[in-house]
Amino acid sequence: MPKGLLIVAVCILCNCSCLRAQGIVTGTVTDAVTRESISGANVSVPSRTIGTSTDAMGKFQLLLPVGRHTLVFSYVGYKMRNIDVTIAQGDTIRLGVVLVPSTVLMEEVAVSAEPIAVSTLHGLGGVSISPKQVQSITGVFGDIGRVIQAMIGV
């Protein structure tokens, strides 16, 4: 067997997921009050910097190496929950995770506003022309429509 082919075969075998020591953690995240599934909840393993989100049905699945891991479940408006799991080679651990809604009390917020005086006589880009100026200009251009077309920015 050629040396290059042997190296390729060893690399493929080393990267084969069936030879790695790992297991699967799967489950559903639900609301403690309504018992409805929570879509988009975060499931993370901080020590491994990996994680996932629950799907539309509140289900998740993580592939983890053999060993002890802490899974962190979180979602906005709910208390964070930590669950310790121990993974053995080829294990599939099924979890039913229930998150408890939490409320955050804030101080009262007052919103107030005052009217702003707006000058309608001279707004942005306004031009004032006296009747005498209009008469002198219209004599050159013929009518008021052409005067307005000749003005810059109009």
Side-chain angles (χ1 to χ4, degrees), residues 29-30 32 38 41-46 70-84 97-104:
V29 179
T30 56
I38 300 175
N42 298 308
V43 183
S44 63
V45 184
T70 299
L71 279 67
V72 179
F73 297 85
S74 62
Y75 191 71
V76 175
Y78 290 84
K79 291 181 183 174
M80 189 181 308
R81 181 158 180 208
N82 296 345
I83 296 178
D84 292 326
V97 181
V98 179
L99 295 182
V100 177
S102 68
T103 56
V104 177

Side-chain angles (χ1 to χ4, degrees), residues 87-98:
I87 305 288
Q89 172 63 33
D91 270 358
T92 298
I93 298 174
R94 289 177 176 75
L95 299 174
V97 181
V98 179

Side-chain angles (χ1 to χ4, degrees), residues 103-147:
T103 56
V104 177
L105 297 176
M106 297 175 55
E107 292 183 27
E108 181 179 323
V109 176
V111 178
S112 63
E114 296 179 15
I116 300 173
V118 178
S119 173
T120 57
L121 182 60
H122 294 289
L124 291 175
V127 177
S128 297
I129 302 174
S130 70
K132 198 173 207 177
Q133 289 173 317
V134 171
Q135 286 176 348
S136 67
I137 296 173
T138 54
V140 175
F141 290 100
D143 67 0
I144 191 69
R146 290 188 182 185
V147 171

